[in-house]
Amino acid sequence: MSKVVFLSNVDRRFAMMQVALQQLQQENLLSNDSVCAKLSDNTVWNDEWQKLLEDADILLLKWMGAGLDTPFFKKLLPFIKKHQLRYYIDAAGTEEE
């Protein structure tokens, strides 16, 4: 089964994705390793994030507010590229595709 990691700093989007994730896991359509996590401007990149993402099949990220210039994203983006992780990032203010 696929492991999906969903990250967001948007309360409503996070809540909706959490409900969808639980339903898909109950229906055995997504791995129990799949997660939804809430981000903030102060979220710190560390080994736990690396472990969470290194075996993910895809990362879905919704970010509202300032661009992807937080310290967390400055570490996340190179990690994504290095590990060739499939991803979709919905955010404003970035030069990334």
Side-chain angles (χ1 to χ4, degrees):
M1 266 185 271
S2 296
K3 177 180 176 181
V4 175
V5 176
F6 177 78
L7 306 176
S8 183
N9 69 336
V10 181
D11 291 335
R12 186 170 181 217
R13 183 74 52 96
F14 171 77
M16 290 186 306
M17 288 302 295
Q18 185 67 38
V19 170
L21 172 66
Q22 290 171 353
Q23 181 176 350
L24 291 167
Q25 287 173 327
Q26 288 172 355
E27 295 173 7
N28 291 319
L29 296 172
L30 279 183
S31 164
N32 287 332
D33 292 340
S34 296
V35 298
C36 287
K38 189 93 169 29
L39 299 177
S40 74
D41 290 342
N42 299 320
T43 300
V44 176
W45 179 261
N46 57 32
D47 291 342
E48 290 181 38
W49 289 109
Q50 290 184 161
K51 288 177 188 174
L52 175 68
L53 292 169
E54 66 189 2
D55 64 343
D57 293 296
I58 190 166
L59 166 65
L60 303 173
L61 195 149
K62 172 62 178 169
W63 184 256
M64 291 200 50
L68 299 179
D69 57 354
T70 67
F72 178 82
F73 287 116
K74 288 180 180 178
K75 302 260 175 116
L76 172 66
L77 295 174
F79 179 87
I80 288 171
K81 291 176 182 178
K82 178 180 177 185
H83 290 85
Q84 299 178 337
L85 176 62
R86 289 187 297 177
Y87 67 95
Y88 175 77
I89 297 176
D90 180 2
T94 180
E95 294 178 10
E96 294 295 318
E97 296 180 10

